[in-house]
Amino acid sequence: MNPGAEQNVPVGSGERAIYPDLVLASPEGRHRLEGVVEVETGESVNSLEALAEWAPLARLHAAFHLYVPAGAVDAARRLCDDHGIVVNEIWSYHPIGDQMRFTVVHRAPVVKKKRPAEPVKREGVRRSAGRQEKRKPKPKPKSKPKTRGVPRQARAAKKRARSTRGGADRRSTRTRSRG
């Protein structure tokens, strides 16, 4: 947090260090920057402030939230539009008694990150010498001839009968059936 003129937590380093009012970091890993918040007063919502602070904060690779008094919302929106400043959210605040009330007045549309398109696989197409040729389909393996009309039980019974007969019986049956 960088309240007022304090410079406790910078974003960036060296001469390019920026000190937003609030720095939002991920608690996991290396405390990756998730977002920044800038709180303005009625007097600080002006073109100079927008160019000096809001524009660099909007260029960060993190969410930028702007808090302005309720009476300065239109001026803040106009300044952001005029200077091309992209704000993720604009919040207004106003006191009610001894409490502050906050209201979201602008929320940027959520842009879903697109995944790179997967390459389309073309089966059956082969490129050679700059032109496309269709591949010939592979020949299917020849299957055993099917016995049609004979029920499965009858085929099994014939097979059993053949295996129980001896070699001599088989030869004799063949000669009988031929002649």
Side-chain angles (χ1 to χ4, degrees):
M1 218 163 87
N2 300 312
E6 291 183 30
Q7 295 183 344
N8 298 324
V9 183
V11 175
S13 61
E15 292 179 11
R16 293 181 174 243
I18 304 169
Y19 294 90
D21 293 324
L22 187 61
V23 177
L24 306 173
S26 169
E28 303 165 358
R30 302 179 301 172
H31 297 286
R32 186 178 64 142
L33 182 65
E34 294 290 327
V36 293
V37 176
E38 188 65 25
V39 180
E40 300 296 343
T41 62
E43 296 82 32
S44 65
V45 177
N46 57 48
S47 185
L48 182 63
E49 191 80 15
L51 290 172
E53 289 188 18
W54 304 355
L57 291 172
R59 285 191 293 266
L60 294 173
H61 294 287
F64 173 47
H65 302 277
L66 182 62
Y67 285 65
V68 296
V73 171
D74 291 333
R77 282 184 176 168
R78 188 184 72 250
L79 288 169
C80 289
D81 288 341
D82 291 347
H83 299 297
I85 298 170
V86 179
V87 181
N88 293 78
E89 292 180 355
I90 297 177
W91 289 73
S92 71
Y93 63 88
H94 62 279
I96 295 183
D98 60 346
Q99 296 180 353
M100 294 299 281
R101 301 290 179 165
F102 297 91
T103 308
V104 178
V105 293
H106 168 77
R107 185 169 284 153
V110 177
V111 178
K112 292 183 181 180
K113 294 181 181 179
K114 294 182 180 179
R115 294 186 303 182
E118 294 181 17
V120 178
K121 292 182 181 179
R122 293 183 176 180
E123 293 186 20
V125 176
R126 176 178 64 193
R127 293 182 183 198
S128 62
R131 62 180 191 164
Q132 295 181 353
E133 298 176 9
K134 288 193 174 182
R135 290 183 182 175
K136 293 180 182 177
K138 292 182 180 179
K140 293 182 181 179
K142 293 183 180 179
S143 61
K144 294 180 182 178
K146 295 181 181 179
T147 54
R148 294 187 183 168
V150 180
R152 187 178 287 174
Q153 293 171 347
R155 288 193 306 257
K158 282 185 181 179
K159 191 173 184 180
R160 271 186 262 129
R162 281 188 217 138
S163 63
T164 56
R165 288 188 228 156
D169 288 344
R170 230 183 283 174
R171 279 187 225 120
S172 62
T173 26
R174 284 185 190 158
T175 54
R176 277 190 236 148
S177 61
R178 286 184 190 167

